Amino acid sequence: MRFFKELSEILRCGDKDKKFAEFKRFYNSYKAGHYEIVDDGEILPLKEPSYAKFCDVVEMKNLDKKSQKQNKEAAFLHSIAHIEYSAIDIALDAAYRFRGLPRQYYDDWLEVAEDEIRHFKMIEKYMQNFGVKYGDMQAHNGLFVALKMTENSLLERMAVLPRYMEANGLDANAFMLKKLENDHTKADLKEILQVILDEEISHVSKGDRWFKFECERKRVDPSEYIAIVQRIYPNSFLQTRELNEEARLKSGFSASELERIKQIAKSRANI
């Protein structure tokens, strides 16, 4: 069985039901020890997101804001579904693209992919209550662009995707839960978001582990994290949303890192 070839086919599959079924087969075989992780083929460049097969994909700045305002609840749920579906491919690509790493690395990212599929399915089921399914609305390519920009560097990939973007998701999820706190009509949604938040902490933690692994391998000081992210996204760390410090600390961030992040947002807000 060819580990990377099969993983590539699952990553690029644009039929979500087939993708999930193939991943389940692949992952069960992997856990049973049926795959030897041997770098036996070309690493294919990213060309288009797998969801382009069934979504109208646009750049973030070109999202139809008018339609989103008219269908606020549906747009909100669709945006969560899109993040979770994108996260599936982020995990799969992390396992596919970077070779010659300890088996634990592949264990970690395949486990994340399984979690993200489950998260997506929970949101997809909930969306049915509102007569909307994933693909009914526009989807931005922001996370796919981040994959493209970091496809040649494990250090940058781990810094930008799990440790920056997914960590921002910890903040956003906590913000959404707080906003829904007194809305008793959204009990099911709150339960889903809480499950996602709890499990995303472990995902960011895995990103933290492999970021620091690569820092050691490349002899880079982990304190360069902010500079690494800002090289790719110069306007990063400008968020005004409150940091979910508890979740970030559990994920591997240090208190001094969080303080530096807050200071960047504060100093730029005063410019």
Side-chain angles (χ1 to χ4, degrees), residues 102-251:
R103 190 177 183 91
Q104 183 63 49
Y105 174 85
Y106 303 100
D107 289 352
D108 279 353
W109 293 110
L110 294 178
E111 181 181 44
V112 171
E114 182 184 49
D115 285 350
E116 301 294 11
I117 289 172
R118 182 163 37 80
H119 295 173
F120 173 80
K121 286 182 174 180
M122 287 191 295
I123 287 293
E124 183 181 46
K125 184 177 179 181
Y126 183 79
M127 288 166 68
Q128 293 174 1
N129 298 324
F130 299 86
V132 61
K133 66 180 185 299
Y134 183 48
D136 283 350
M137 307 184 83
Q138 288 181 330
H140 67 76
N141 66 350
L143 290 168
F144 181 76
V145 170
L147 286 182
K148 286 282 293 176
M149 293 174 75
T150 59
E151 65 182 342
N152 297 315
S153 168
L154 177 62
L155 186 72
E156 292 178 348
R157 173 62 65 85
M158 293 296 110
V160 170
L161 269 301
R163 227 174 173 270
Y164 174 60
M165 292 189 166
E166 195 162 5
N168 286 347
L170 298 177
D171 309 332
N173 203 327
F175 173 79
M176 288 188 288
L177 281 167
K178 190 172 182 179
K179 197 173 179 180
L180 295 171
E181 192 172 20
N182 297 316
D183 189 341
H184 302 298
T185 68
K186 298 290 193 304
D188 290 346
L189 178 58
K190 285 187 284 188
E191 185 176 337
I192 291 168
L193 292 176
Q194 189 64 58
V195 169
I196 291 173
L197 175 57
D198 292 343
E199 295 186 357
E200 297 290 350
I201 291 172
S202 74
H203 301 175
V204 179
S205 180
K206 288 177 172 63
D208 177 75
R209 175 189 306 152
W210 295 108
F211 170 72
K212 289 170 180 171
F213 169 90
E214 190 68 352
C215 281
E216 184 175 347
R217 198 165 68 151
K218 298 289 186 183
R219 297 184 179 179
V220 173
D221 190 328
S223 68
E224 291 295 304
Y225 160 70
I226 289 173
I228 292 166
V229 174
Q230 288 180 329
R231 256 198 330 261
I232 299 165
Y233 288 100
N235 294 318
S236 53
F237 305 106
L238 294 177
Q239 68 271 16
T240 56
R241 183 175 288 135
E242 182 181 358
L243 295 182
N244 186 345
E245 295 192 36
E246 181 182 358
R248 283 177 176 260
L249 289 169
K250 287 180 181 177
S251 301

Side-chain angles (χ1 to χ4, degrees), residues 4-194:
F4 291 110
K5 183 177 185 298
E6 291 188 37
L7 197 50
S8 175
E9 290 170 356
I10 296 167
L11 171 63
R12 287 166 171 74
C13 181
D15 178 328
K16 62 182 176 64
D17 292 331
K18 181 181 178 183
K19 184 189 194 83
F20 298 164
E22 284 299 300
F23 176 79
K24 184 177 181 180
R25 175 201 58 76
F26 172 86
Y27 191 41
N28 285 339
S29 293
Y30 175 83
K31 289 187 291 185
H34 297 159
Y35 284 93
E36 186 178 355
I37 304 174
V38 178
D39 185 358
D40 59 355
E42 178 187 5
I43 302 175
L44 300 173
L46 290 157
K47 291 186 178 179
E48 69 171 14
S50 66
Y51 52 79
K53 304 288 194 305
F54 55 86
C55 285
D56 176 18
V57 183
V58 298
E59 290 185 26
M60 186 93 69
K61 64 182 181 181
N62 293 330
L63 281 170
D64 186 350
K65 301 289 176 60
K66 184 178 180 182
S67 175
Q68 287 184 325
K69 286 180 181 178
Q70 290 173 342
N71 304 280
K72 198 171 181 180
E73 186 129 42
F76 171 64
L77 295 172
H78 195 274
S79 69
I80 298 173
H82 181 54
I83 290 169
E84 296 306 318
Y85 195 90
S86 298
I88 297 166
D89 283 354
I90 289 168
L92 292 174
D93 192 72
Y96 166 73
R97 189 155 307 282
F98 301 103
R99 313 286 170 90
L101 294 162
R103 190 177 183 91
Q104 183 63 49
Y105 174 85
Y106 303 100
D107 289 352
D108 279 353
W109 293 110
L110 294 178
E111 181 181 44
V112 171
E114 182 184 49
D115 285 350
E116 301 294 11
I117 289 172
R118 182 163 37 80
H119 295 173
F120 173 80
K121 286 182 174 180
M122 287 191 295
I123 287 293
E124 183 181 46
K125 184 177 179 181
Y126 183 79
M127 288 166 68
Q128 293 174 1
N129 298 324
F130 299 86
V132 61
K133 66 180 185 299
Y134 183 48
D136 283 350
M137 307 184 83
Q138 288 181 330
H140 67 76
N141 66 350
L143 290 168
F144 181 76
V145 170
L147 286 182
K148 286 282 293 176
M149 293 174 75
T150 59
E151 65 182 342
N152 297 315
S153 168
L154 177 62
L155 186 72
E156 292 178 348
R157 173 62 65 85
M158 293 296 110
V160 170
L161 269 301
R163 227 174 173 270
Y164 174 60
M165 292 189 166
E166 195 162 5
N168 286 347
L170 298 177
D171 309 332
N173 203 327
F175 173 79
M176 288 188 288
L177 281 167
K178 190 172 182 179
K179 197 173 179 180
L180 295 171
E181 192 172 20
N182 297 316
D183 189 341
H184 302 298
T185 68
K186 298 290 193 304
D188 290 346
L189 178 58
K190 285 187 284 188
E191 185 176 337
I192 291 168
L193 292 176
Q194 189 64 58

